[in-house]
């Protein structure tokens, strides 16, 4: 009788121990890793002189080049891609102006390119545009139409959506500019190309959320862009002006004053060289070449 009781106690103890061991094991395998924004999103505003070229590197490893600068900036674009060890990327040509697309044929020829976005606009049929279009065709690619509502894939954790062009007819070529909003965690970037007042009005009227932490100032700081209502809608904390020596008076004092009077910390590639903005999903920090 006694033996049976002891055997029963031993068996019960073993079962309890086993249960404890199991219950310890279960939570570890059942609870998934917390979602974290451990990666960083980097936007490099490359000093290409008078023109635009911005490289975005997402936490997923996906890369996007917005514009390819003027002729003088070609070396800067290609050396930036090389120094960062880029192999594969997508491209947005905001519009056909030479100060935005000149290096892009070389980029297409050299790199593994996923997608090339370009707005549908009355083509300028320039030699530069022809070279770019030929490079895209030779690579077996086709232009993807850049217009409001189109998403760009920058991988997990990042949302990238085009907010312009809203319409398909404009008087000014600059207003066809593809405008991209990139959101990562609590931070966001608005890349505006050369979009001017008319496109800014259309973006506001479209009801899109224009608010952004960082604004790439439209059209190199020209007075024709960065209208008051647009600046209020975006209400950025930081602004970057991609500009070089030019005869247009860019950036204009009107826009510089508008930025400073709103307390927006402004960076300029003509004064500070290449400007790098890094987001950890909570805030954005800047470093400059000069
Ligand atoms: Zn331009």
């Amino acid at each position: 009788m006694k033996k049976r009781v002891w055997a029963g106690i031993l068996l019960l103890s073993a079962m309890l121990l086993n249960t404890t061991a199991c219950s310890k094991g279960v939570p570890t395998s059942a609870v998934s890793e917390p979602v974290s924004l451990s990666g960083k999103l980097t936007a490099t505003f490359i000093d290409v002189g008078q023109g635009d070229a911005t490289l975005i590197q997402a936490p997923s490893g996906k890369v996007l080049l917005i514009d390819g600068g003027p002729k003088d900036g070609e070396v800067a674009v290609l050396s930036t891609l090389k120094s960062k060890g880029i192999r594969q990327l997508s491209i947005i040509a905001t519009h056909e102006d030479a100060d935005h697309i000149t290096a892009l044929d070389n980029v297409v020829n050299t790199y593994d390119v996923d997608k090339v976005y370009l707005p549908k606009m009355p083509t300028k049929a320039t030699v530069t545009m022809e070279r770019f279009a030929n490079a895209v065709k030779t690579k077996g690619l086709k232009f993807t139409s850049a217009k409001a509502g189109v998403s760009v894939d920058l991988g997990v954790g990042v949302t990238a959506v085009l907010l312009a062009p809203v319409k398909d007819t404009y008087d000014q070529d600059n207003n066809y500019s593809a405008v991209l909003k990139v959101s990562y965690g609590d931070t966001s970037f608005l890349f505006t190309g050369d979009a001017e007042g008319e496109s800014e009005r259309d973006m506001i009227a479209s009801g899109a959320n224009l608010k952004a932490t960082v604004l790439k100032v439209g059209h190199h700081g020209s007075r024709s862009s960065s209208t008051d209502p647009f600046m209020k809608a975006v209400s950025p904390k930081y602004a970057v002006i991609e500009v070089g020596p030019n005869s247009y008076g860019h950036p204009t004092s009107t826009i510089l004053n508008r930025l400073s009077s709103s307390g927006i910390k402004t960076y300029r590639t003509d004064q500070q060289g290449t400007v790098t903005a890094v987001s950890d999903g909570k805030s954005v920090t800047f470093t400059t070449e000069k």
Side-chain angles (χ1 to χ4, degrees):
M1 224 17 215
K2 267 187 185 174
K3 268 187 186 173
R4 273 190 194 172
V5 171
W6 277 111
I9 290 169
L10 278 171
L11 186 64
L12 194 64
S13 306
M15 281 170 74
L16 279 169
L17 275 170
N18 218 14
T19 312
T20 315
C22 278
S23 68
K24 261 187 188 167
V26 169
T28 342
S29 56
V31 174
S32 55
E33 288 294 311
V35 176
S36 71
L37 297 169
S38 55
K40 294 197 160 119
L41 183 137
T42 304
T44 308
F45 301 87
I46 306 166
D47 178 14
V48 290
Q50 176 69 6
D52 276 12
T54 310
L55 186 71
I56 300 169
Q57 294 166 277
S60 62
K62 286 195 183 283
V63 178
L64 174 69
L65 178 66
I66 305 177
D67 287 337
K71 186 74 196 154
D72 294 348
E74 199 161 17
V75 171
V77 173
L78 295 171
S79 64
T80 301
L81 292 173
K82 198 175 175 190
S83 71
K84 287 175 175 287
I86 307 296
R87 288 166 187 269
Q88 190 175 2
L89 75 169
S90 283
I91 295 169
I92 293 179
T94 59
H95 61 303
E96 293 189 13
D97 281 359
D99 58 321
H100 295 253
I101 63 163
T102 300
L104 293 181
D105 63 329
N106 256 327
V107 175
V108 171
N109 290 335
T110 313
Y111 291 90
D112 187 357
V113 177
D114 292 325
K115 278 193 163 188
V116 186
Y117 299 85
L118 178 78
K120 279 205 171 79
M121 58 185 288
T123 186
K124 294 198 157 184
T126 57
V127 174
T128 312
M129 185 56 214
E130 207 172 295
R131 278 208 324 259
F132 176 33
N134 279 338
V136 169
K137 198 176 168 190
T138 306
K139 200 90 179 214
L141 295 162
K142 276 184 180 164
F143 288 115
T144 301
S145 178
K147 57 184 175 187
V150 170
S151 290
V152 177
D153 181 16
L154 285 179
V156 177
V158 178
T159 309
V161 184
L162 290 170
L163 305 185
V166 173
K167 291 181 186 163
D168 53 13
T169 49
Y170 285 105
D171 289 338
Q172 295 291 329
D173 285 349
N174 284 339
N175 284 322
Y176 287 98
S177 285
V179 174
L180 182 75
K181 182 172 177 179
V182 175
S183 306
Y184 178 50
D186 300 333
T187 67
S188 48
F189 295 73
L190 194 61
F191 303 97
T192 55
D194 280 356
E196 299 186 3
E198 196 180 348
S199 171
E200 292 179 353
R201 272 196 299 280
D202 290 341
M203 279 187 265
I204 293 169
S206 77
N209 179 0
L210 300 174
K211 203 169 175 348
T213 319
V214 181
L215 171 68
K216 197 295 290 182
V217 175
H219 198 197
H220 322 290
S222 161
R223 233 180 14 203
S224 55
S225 303
S226 310
T227 55
D228 261 329
F230 185 73
M231 293 306 294
K232 284 198 178 82
V234 181
S235 68
K237 197 170 178 186
Y238 308 100
V240 182
I241 305 176
E242 293 194 83
V243 67
N246 66 87
S247 55
Y248 311 109
H250 298 162
T252 59
S253 54
T254 310
I255 300 306
L256 292 175
N257 291 338
R258 194 165 292 166
L259 292 163
S260 65
S261 66
S262 304
I264 300 162
K265 170 86 178 146
T266 302
Y267 296 89
R268 293 171 55 163
T269 54
D270 60 339
Q271 294 181 343
Q272 292 155 298
T274 293
V275 175
T276 307
V278 179
S279 165
D280 60 4
K282 293 193 181 309
S283 58
V284 183
T285 49
F286 283 83
T287 49
T288 61
E289 186 187 6
K290 295 178 196 166

